[in-house]
Each structure stands twice: as structure tokens, then as C-alpha cells.
Amino acid sequence: MQEQEGVIKFQLFYQAAPLPANIDITELNAWRTLCVQTGMLGQHPERYDNYGFGNISQRVAGGEHFIISGTQTGGKLQLSAADYALVTACLPALNRISAQGVTKPSSEAMTHGQLYQLLPQVNFIIHAHCPAIWQYADALALAQTAAQVPYGTVAMAEEVSRLFQQSEAAAQGIFTMAGHEDGVVTFGKNAETSFQILMRYYAAALALGATPNR
């Protein structure tokens, strides 16, 4: 049986409250919809024991706060503001996340937070599930996290830092998670860049003979 996505593994200091009035999810939601339509996020009865999969986030301008889709929202076709959380502090060394929202942040919030801290130029992150890219990671010359490192943990945040030091992941805007089936993370200066990177490598994997997402 698959490990259920959406299980929070960090210490969460959470305030159950609506997002601040200045938070706009319009752009984030639009790109999430495209990810769902291409099978990169969502829920499917033939994938992962029908658990929802994938998450998406956007940096709040001018700082390290970010908006991220809520835990166990992958199965929803459309999200509202109530389905997102605002992460106000990410402290990987302490395994701690502080967040506000009607829903708790994605279980991958620690990885997203580490990326935003390591790469100030990054403003948008997609954690997709793409069998085509994941299975052809070697052929596509993509960096991969170590297979023994579980998602959503301090160890994963540290592994991301290692990848950026020892591979071309930061320059490529993408890496795969060897220990998290089909897990692919893309990131860039904006939503369009992050999505284009995901589609570019998806197309390259298909050209190599990979099976399309279903």
C-alpha cells in the first residue's frame, strides 16, 4: 500500500483563521487548475490507492511567507481561499512550521519553505506527481533526492540543500524525489516558468517513450 500523502510530519504551530485580506489566491488557483488538468496534481482511482497527490505554493511578495495548498486537498478539482494556508515561519532545523488558515498547510510545506529560503529568486513551486518524468529521471539528467529520505521531513529539507550544492538542480529548476513515488518538484521566478519547466521535461520524457499521465 502507498504511504498516504498528506500526513504532516513536522511540528505545526497553527492558527485556525481565514487568510489575511491582502492574500490573493487567483493566480495560484489558475495554475493549480492547469496542473490538475494535466494529471500532475489531483486524485485518480488508479493512482496511489486513490489518495490525493501534489501541492503548489507561491511566495508572498517581499518576504519568506508563502501560500500553499492545504493538507489533503489534492482530490478537489477547485480550491477556495479556505483550502490554502499561509506559512509565516519555516524552521527546518527545529522541524517547525507556523501557519494560518482555515485548513492546515500541505505536508510538503517544509520542503517548499526550504526552497524559498535557499533561492530568493524563486516565487512559485509545484510539487507534481509525474510517472513519466520520475521514471526517466536518469535519462533526463535530473537530480534526485536519496531514496531513503521521506517526504515532508527535515531530512528532505536537508537533502534539497545538498542537491543544490552538488547538482544542477537549482539551475534546471527541477528535481525528483527518488523515495517518493512519481514525486517531481519544479520552481521558478513565477508560475509560468515553473509550469513550463514541468511541461518541458514531461514532453522530453514522452519523447523517450514514457507513458502519459493517467
Side-chain angles (χ1 to χ4, degrees):
M1 181 177 175
Q2 290 286 329
E3 181 182 17
Q4 181 180 355
E5 181 139 338
V7 177
I8 293 174
K9 301 176 181 178
F10 46 77
Q11 297 179 65
L12 177 62
F13 292 80
Y14 169 64
Q15 179 184 2
L19 297 179
N22 65 319
I23 298 297
D24 185 0
I25 66 163
T26 304
E27 181 183 25
L28 187 60
N29 234 7
W31 289 97
R32 181 188 180 275
T33 297
L34 284 177
C35 289
V36 171
Q37 291 176 346
T38 54
M40 301 293 178
L41 280 72
Q43 187 171 15
H44 192 284
E46 296 181 4
R47 296 175 68 181
Y48 322 121
D49 293 329
N50 202 30
Y51 288 124
F53 55 90
N55 44 74
I56 193 167
S57 72
Q58 183 176 31
R59 187 193 295 270
V60 176
E64 292 186 353
H65 294 186
F66 59 94
I67 319 161
I68 190 167
S69 49
T71 185
Q72 299 181 355
T73 58
K76 295 186 176 183
L77 292 178
Q78 295 286 337
L79 300 189
S80 69
D83 297 306
Y84 289 95
L86 174 66
V87 173
T88 55
C90 175
L91 303 170
L94 300 177
N95 192 31
R96 181 183 301 171
I97 291 283
S98 296
Q100 171 185 342
V102 176
T103 188
K104 295 178 181 179
S106 165
S107 56
E108 281 287 2
M110 183 70 69
T111 304
H112 287 245
Q114 178 76 311
L115 275 164
Y116 286 125
Q117 290 177 19
L118 290 171
L119 300 176
Q121 72 274 23
V122 165
N123 294 302
F124 204 92
I125 298 169
I126 301 170
H127 169 208
H129 276 232
C130 182
I133 296 175
W134 193 78
Q135 292 168 11
Y136 281 76
D138 286 337
L140 295 169
L142 296 179
Q144 302 174 66
T145 60
Q148 70 272 20
V149 177
Y151 79 88
T153 61
V154 172
M156 179 58 76
E158 293 172 345
E159 181 69 355
V160 169
S161 181
R162 182 193 68 79
L163 281 188
F164 287 175
Q165 295 174 27
Q166 300 180 6
S167 76
E168 297 300 312
Q172 291 175 309
I174 184 173
F175 63 86
T176 63
M177 295 176 163
H180 187 37
E181 184 179 357
D182 301 337
V184 178
V185 177
T186 65
F187 44 92
K189 63 181 180 180
N190 54 36
E192 183 176 1
T193 299
S194 302
F195 187 77
Q196 285 178 341
I197 291 170
L198 184 59
M199 291 299 106
R200 183 188 315 142
Y201 281 97
Y202 182 38
L206 295 179
L208 290 171
T211 303
N213 286 349
R214 290 190 173 87

